Amino acid sequence: MKPRWPMIALCISVLVASAPSAAFPTKDEYVVIADNNQKSTVPVDTTEKPRAPIKLTEMRVRSEVALRYARTSVLTHVHNPDARPQEVTFRMLLPDTAFISGFTMILSGKSYKAYVKEKEEAKQIYTQAVSQGLGAAHVATKARDSNHFTVSTNVEGNTTAVFDLRYEEFLVRRNGLYNHAINLHPGSFVPKMEVVVHIKESQKITALRVPEVRTGNEVDATEKDAQNSKAVIQKSTNEKEATVTFTPDLTEQRRLAQIYAEKTKQKSSSEKYIGYSSTEEENDEDATVLGQFVVQYDVERTNNGEILVNDGYFVHFMAPTSLPPLSKYVVFVLDTSGSMMGRKVEQLRSAMEAILSDLNPNDYFSIVEFNSDVKVHELKEADEEPAPAYSHYSYFNTRNTPVTLVPPSPATAENIAKAKVIVSRLNASGGTNIYSALEVAFNLVRKGTRNENETDVSSTVATTTDGVSTTAATTKKTEKIEKELEPIVIFLTDGDPTVGETSTARILSFITEKNSGDKRASLYSLAFGEDADRAFLRKLSLRNEGFMRHIYEAADAALQLHDFYRQVSSPLLSHVQFLYPEKQIKEGSLSRNKFRTINAGSEVAIVGQVADDATEITPQVNAFCGNDDGIGRKRYEVSQKVIVPKTKDEHLPLERLWAYLTIKQLLDKRDAADDSKDDSAEKKALAIALKYEFVTPLTSLVVVKPEETNAVDVESVDNLPSYSTPFTPHLAIMGPPPASRPNNAYLTSNYASIGASSFASLPGFETTRTTTPIILTTYATTTAQLESYHLEFFEWTSSLLNPFKDTLAFNDNGTEVILKLSKDDDPPKADGGDTECSNSTSAVGASDSAASVCVYLTRCHAARSITADDYQKSYCVVDNKYAGVCCARADVDKTP
């Protein structure tokens, strides 16, 4: 029989970082495990002569953006001009909000398409690697909020490889603009490079900017930033479509690379990137990094929102623009523990100076400082002599003295000036008492927004029906009511809890319970630097109506803090509910429809499936908005009616938008839940991801040979604590052994807080390097492994063995077969005894095949001398799961 090569399989999934431990890699670290056991049949020219370097000949990026939903394809051509095979590595930096939706390699004219599969027992790969003492390599990464996709493959001599990576993302509106960013880190200057972004919206595009190519490590560009003079913008006559084309020639690419390198060198030496060092070698890599191509735009909108329906799905956008902001009460909870000493606390002071200036006249605020102890600052401190540096207070935790809950301060010019004096005196020392700080913050919220600041206001209800504003009913009677303040807690820390309550699980439980009821506040967590527990802070915010952001420890940290504050500083609507008649929407299809606030410059999107017999959708939006005088609030109600169209519009990607947002929100729900809760959210997210072929933290991407349909499902690390929503795809490759690389390679990559992309070849691609070279070490199917399954005399099983799952896996007429192996001394047997084989004509052993029975593999003596192909014709299943074989009765339990 012809030997069959193992399948080429590429598994991409998520490996997230665990708590610091010698047993697990640090962030931006991956492990490559290779099998050198099998020899290649491809002729290799062993003549010692230099190889012609791999050439990146073409890179084309296409983005189709419809209704803020971007579908991007990155097509790259790589030519091997040498007669000998060479390995190339394709790397792409993806936004951390993106899901990979497809990957294809074309090698020697054959197409290798990717398929999405479920992960299971993924952690075993890394555990197995560590147990073998395998090495790890750091990958330098140089763009924030990004993830690294990598795949290596062999390219035959004098051929061109084509890589096509596709990913999808929903563009989030920040500060009034959608930002679509594409990383251009090819690793080499490209003779043919083109980026095309096509935008199609249902409303007029009111703003469209293309800033100069950026490093990817700045805050969002503004109208003050220089614009890209090489980008060509074409707009449609109806102003609802636009195409942006960017085709930098080699001269422009060198200019951009030089600018990128200069900006990188200008960064302070104290700026920290995991796995990144400012070595001469790394600066060489900068010489071919072009940067990040960004398109910013916005669309025309009204306060009433917009609903679109297509092919059984709908999306409801809401981004109010002309409403007065709600008065708010902001509690700043600032970490001044010892780890904030030096540059961090200086940046905190600078950021708070700018943030305090942004408070509105009708706002109120409090400043809570914490380290080992907690203090609520009083503004009168600004008129007093400052306390000695690092002289902290007798509060709450260390001396068991309750903290004085100072009433909130109105944001008058005088009070803001005093607050800036207090902030300028912040110093760092001591431990990190997170629980006490948050408890004080929510005590302030409960006290500061109740029975305080009463004033006379008129009660007003604003209503809109079918998108048309009607005269609001206004109550002329003026009454004494409580002034409503929208409570916001902004919590900044750079470390783990080290003082007081140190259990993050208990802190989550206590604080969530504390922040409940009518005065529930939005909690926004800022993880400053790499040492903050981002998984904990993310869960804390998700449970408390907010979200977490990572503030990178860089020269612009103060700008990052200020930019974040601007995104949440102007709530326009509060207690927002989107209500849809039950008969119009399919049960269980509606995404999140309740929001604590909607802030100026942002947008919310609700998606769902339309009921089969629905002819219209008539939603109602209920909320509170601010009064024109800035005092108090009024009810906000919007009613609309949209007819369900009978025809399908192929240009509206509502179904995929529904799938994307639903998965994202289900994963948030899973991450926010207690560990003891059921896993229904995860199961639903997994089912949708598999159906729509999205690579998520729950799924893997598998590439198989075109002429074969099966693949060995090699999993990657899973179920480790996550740092945040981003996940890093990583891969495993199994396949026909190329001339210059091992037969099997498993690569795992954990969460990259900041990422990089490049295109490299190893060997021969001189322009791209990593901080530390990739380390290849052997991992073969050893005799010891076969012995652990009692298969030492069944050597043919090594080609089907998956030791990470304890299974044999192969394809049977297009169906993947996975059979369990046992390590017990006594082989498994069916409860009712050995049964006659249904495929007895393919039995192994004595010629009397009619007398064959299904037995566990090791019980059949004749099965020792068969091949893997023979087994695929004679296999059976024992006890509904174990690897069995149709064996002649005379050979069952036969003594050698």
Side-chain angles (χ1 to χ4, degrees), residues 174-331:
R174 296 190 302 266
N175 297 322
L177 290 171
Y178 306 104
N179 285 259
H180 183 36
I182 298 170
N183 292 289
L184 300 178
H185 295 195
S188 173
F189 298 125
V190 189
K192 294 181 180 179
M193 175 179 282
E194 183 181 59
V195 180
V196 178
V197 177
H198 177 243
I199 303 169
K200 183 175 183 178
E201 289 289 343
S202 58
Q203 302 297 324
K204 290 183 179 181
I205 298 172
T206 57
L208 179 59
R209 300 201 299 259
V210 184
E212 179 69 281
V213 174
R214 302 163 68 75
T215 68
N217 289 315
E218 305 102 329
V219 297
D220 292 341
T222 68
E223 64 278 2
K224 297 179 181 179
D225 288 271
Q227 298 298 293
N228 191 328
S229 61
K230 300 295 184 180
V232 177
I233 300 175
Q234 294 179 311
K235 297 181 180 180
S236 65
T237 55
N238 64 7
E239 301 182 60
K240 295 181 180 180
E241 288 188 61
T243 301
V244 180
T245 305
F246 180 54
T247 54
D249 57 18
L250 294 175
T251 301
E252 176 66 6
Q253 290 178 45
R254 291 189 180 95
R255 185 187 76 86
L256 294 174
Q258 183 178 1
I259 292 173
Y260 181 93
E262 290 174 353
K263 287 183 177 180
T264 302
K265 291 175 183 178
Q266 289 171 3
K267 293 183 182 296
S268 170
S269 60
S270 63
E271 182 166 356
K272 296 181 181 179
Y273 290 102
I274 293 184
Y276 175 73
S277 59
S278 299
T279 62
E280 181 179 353
E281 181 179 50
E282 198 61 46
N283 288 334
D284 288 343
E285 181 181 353
D286 291 344
T288 55
V289 174
L290 308 185
Q292 191 175 73
F293 181 76
V294 179
V295 176
Q296 299 178 314
Y297 77 96
D298 197 21
V299 299
E300 193 175 71
R301 67 186 78 249
T302 67
N303 289 330
N304 301 325
E306 179 187 18
I307 304 173
L308 296 168
V309 185
N310 185 47
D311 195 30
Y313 294 83
F314 78 89
V315 60
H316 189 167
F317 293 115
M318 175 68 78
T321 56
S322 58
L323 295 175
L326 291 162
S327 299
K328 62 182 181 291
Y329 173 31
V330 189
V331 181

Side-chain angles (χ1 to χ4, degrees), residues 29 54 71 122 269 322 326 389 514 580 597 603 659 706 718 729 821:
E29 186 172 291
I54 291 284
R71 290 171 287 182
S269 60
S322 58
L326 291 162
K514 186 81 174 177
Y580 304 86
T597 57
E603 180 180 62
D718 191 19
L821 295 175

Side-chain angles (χ1 to χ4, degrees), residues 674-873:
D674 291 328
D675 296 336
S676 59
K677 298 290 180 65
D678 64 70
D679 57 355
S680 58
E682 180 173 306
K683 288 180 179 178
K684 185 175 180 181
L686 173 61
I688 298 173
L690 290 172
K691 178 179 178 179
Y692 292 92
E693 297 188 311
F694 284 136
V695 179
T696 72
L698 306 176
T699 50
S700 300
L701 192 63
V702 180
V703 170
V704 300
K705 284 187 67 176
E707 64 271 19
E708 297 172 351
T709 58
N710 61 318
V712 180
D713 186 8
V714 182
E715 307 297 343
S716 49
V717 177
D718 191 19
N719 298 327
L720 295 176
S722 169
Y723 273 100
S724 75
T725 47
F727 68 93
T728 301
H730 58 292
L731 55 92
I733 300 176
M734 300 183 66
S740 61
R741 69 172 285 137
N743 180 52
N744 298 306
Y746 308 93
L747 179 148
T748 59
S749 168
N750 67 343
Y751 169 75
S753 61
I754 41 182
S757 75
S758 59
F759 196 99
S761 69
L762 298 174
F765 203 21
E766 301 176 350
T767 57
T768 307
R769 301 179 178 88
T770 55
T771 307
T772 306
I774 297 173
I775 302 172
L776 289 178
T777 55
T778 60
Y779 186 85
T781 303
T782 63
T783 301
Q785 281 182 318
L786 292 176
E787 288 177 351
S788 68
Y789 303 108
H790 311 290
L791 294 175
E792 59 270 24
F793 301 110
F794 300 76
E795 295 184 358
W796 56 268
T797 59
S798 61
S799 63
L800 307 179
L801 177 64
N802 185 340
F804 309 116
K805 292 185 178 181
D806 300 330
T807 61
L808 298 181
F810 56 89
N811 176 265
D812 183 14
N813 294 324
T815 302
E816 187 175 29
V817 178
I818 300 176
L819 300 172
K820 192 74 175 174
L821 295 175
S822 173
K823 294 184 179 181
D824 294 339
D825 292 335
D826 296 327
K829 295 181 180 180
D831 291 339
D834 300 337
T835 58
E836 185 175 338
C837 278
S838 59
N839 58 337
S840 58
T841 56
S842 301
V844 299
S847 58
D848 185 11
S849 59
S852 63
V853 289
C854 179
V855 298
Y856 185 69
L857 190 56
T858 59
R859 293 180 60 200
C860 185
H861 183 268
R864 299 182 180 196
S865 57
I866 65 174
T867 67
D869 282 338
D870 293 333
Y871 180 66
Q872 293 175 42
K873 297 176 182 177

Side-chain angles (χ1 to χ4, degrees), residues 96-99 659-669 725:
D96 61 16
T97 56
F99 287 155
Y660 174 96
L661 286 178
T662 301
I663 293 171
K664 285 284 189 183
Q665 292 177 11
L666 287 170
L667 292 176
D668 283 348
K669 184 177 179 181
T725 47

Side-chain angles (χ1 to χ4, degrees), residues 461-481:
V461 178
T463 61
T464 305
T465 304
D466 297 338
V468 180
S469 180
T470 59
T471 303
T474 304
T475 302
K476 300 298 184 180
K477 180 181 177 181
T478 301
E479 57 186 16
K480 192 81 169 180
I481 68 169

Side-chain angles (χ1 to χ4, degrees), residues 316-481:
H316 189 167
F317 293 115
M318 175 68 78
T321 56
S322 58
L323 295 175
L326 291 162
S327 299
K328 62 182 181 291
Y329 173 31
V330 189
V331 181
F332 299 100
V333 185
L334 308 178
D335 184 348
T336 57
S337 59
S339 55
M340 289 285 293
M341 190 178 297
R343 192 181 187 202
K344 283 185 181 179
V345 76
E346 292 173 3
Q347 292 171 322
L348 177 59
R349 295 185 199 123
S350 176
M352 284 301 298
E353 285 255 349
I355 289 170
L356 288 168
S357 296
D358 284 349
L359 289 169
N360 296 322
N362 291 309
D363 291 341
Y364 288 74
F365 69 96
S366 293
I367 299 174
V368 178
E369 179 187 359
F370 76 98
N371 37 69
S372 297
D373 305 308
V374 181
K375 177 174 184 176
V376 182
H377 283 282
E378 297 185 70
L379 296 185
K380 65 181 182 180
E381 297 171 25
D383 301 324
E384 302 170 353
E385 288 295 321
Y390 313 117
S391 173
H392 282 277
Y393 327 98
S394 56
Y395 314 83
F396 207 34
N397 181 268
T398 54
R399 292 175 175 79
N400 205 27
T401 304
V403 178
T404 301
L405 298 181
V406 180
S409 303
T412 63
E414 180 183 3
N415 286 343
I416 289 174
K418 290 182 177 180
K420 289 181 178 180
V421 172
I422 292 170
V423 164
S424 70
R425 297 172 180 175
L426 293 178
N427 287 298
S429 68
T432 310
N433 193 346
I434 287 177
Y435 173 72
S436 296
L438 290 174
E439 183 181 31
V440 167
F442 288 114
N443 283 338
L444 285 170
V445 167
R446 298 180 75 85
K447 182 179 177 60
T449 58
R450 184 178 63 235
N451 300 325
E452 299 283 346
N453 308 307
E454 293 186 347
T455 187
D456 293 327
V457 297
S458 297
S459 175
T460 306
V461 178
T463 61
T464 305
T465 304
D466 297 338
V468 180
S469 180
T470 59
T471 303
T474 304
T475 302
K476 300 298 184 180
K477 180 181 177 181
T478 301
E479 57 186 16
K480 192 81 169 180
I481 68 169

